[in-house]
Amino acid sequence: QVYLVESGGGLVQPGGSLRLSCAASGGSNYAMAWFRQAPGQGREFVATISGRGDVMSYSDAVKDRFIAGKDNAKNTVYLQMRRLDVEDTGVYYCAASRRLYVPSQPNENDFNYWGQGTQVTVSS
C-alpha cells in the first residue's frame, strides 16, 4: 500500500505562485501525477512525472506555467505553480501508479493510489 500526503496549498492572488508537495510512503519509483478538481466539476489531469523523473507532461491548461519535479531520495514529488489564475482554483490531488511510465495525457484509471488533496484558491 502506498500512502500519499499533499501539502503546500493555500490562498494566493492572481499572478502569484505556489509550490505543492506530495510525500509518498510504502513504495518508490512510481509514476506520479497531479490532478485537480474545481467546485462542481470532475477531476482533471494537470501534470505527470515518470518513476525515474525523466519524463514529464502537462495539460494544455498549465503547460509553460507549472513545473513538476521528483526527488526519489525523499519519495516526494513537487508541483511548482506560477502565474496562477482564478481558473486554477480547486483541490489538487497527488496520484501514484505502480508503473514507471504512464501515458502523456493520463486519466484517473492510470493510477492506483491517491492522496486526500490540498486546496488551492486563487483570488484577489
Side-chain angles (χ1 to χ4, degrees), residues 5-116:
V5 179
E6 302 97 335
S7 61
L11 173 65
V12 63
Q13 292 186 341
S17 299
L18 274 179
R19 189 190 196 211
L20 305 183
S21 298
C22 173
S25 60
S28 62
N29 293 330
Y30 292 143
M32 307 283 287
W34 291 94
F35 285 74
R36 67 186 181 187
Q37 187 168 19
Q41 298 187 24
R43 201 174 294 187
E44 67 167 347
F45 165 69
V46 174
T48 187
I49 186 165
S50 63
R52 295 190 178 98
D54 55 339
V55 179
M56 287 79 77
S57 62
Y58 304 89
S59 69
D60 287 342
V62 309
K63 66 180 180 181
D64 301 327
R65 298 189 297 124
F66 291 11
I67 299 175
K70 197 168 191 276
D71 185 337
N72 277 332
K74 297 181 178 179
N75 270 355
T76 301
V77 294
Y78 306 95
L79 186 67
Q80 179 67 51
M81 306 186 294
R82 303 172 300 173
R83 305 200 317 268
L84 284 160
D85 184 81
V86 292
E87 298 294 323
D88 296 314
T89 294
V91 179
Y92 282 68
Y93 296 92
C94 177
S97 169
R98 296 190 190 100
R99 297 176 291 171
L100 278 177
Y101 296 96
V102 295
S104 62
Q105 300 293 308
N107 60 46
E108 295 179 61
N109 295 328
D110 290 305
F111 299 92
N112 307 101
Y113 308 102
W114 293 84
Q116 293 301 306

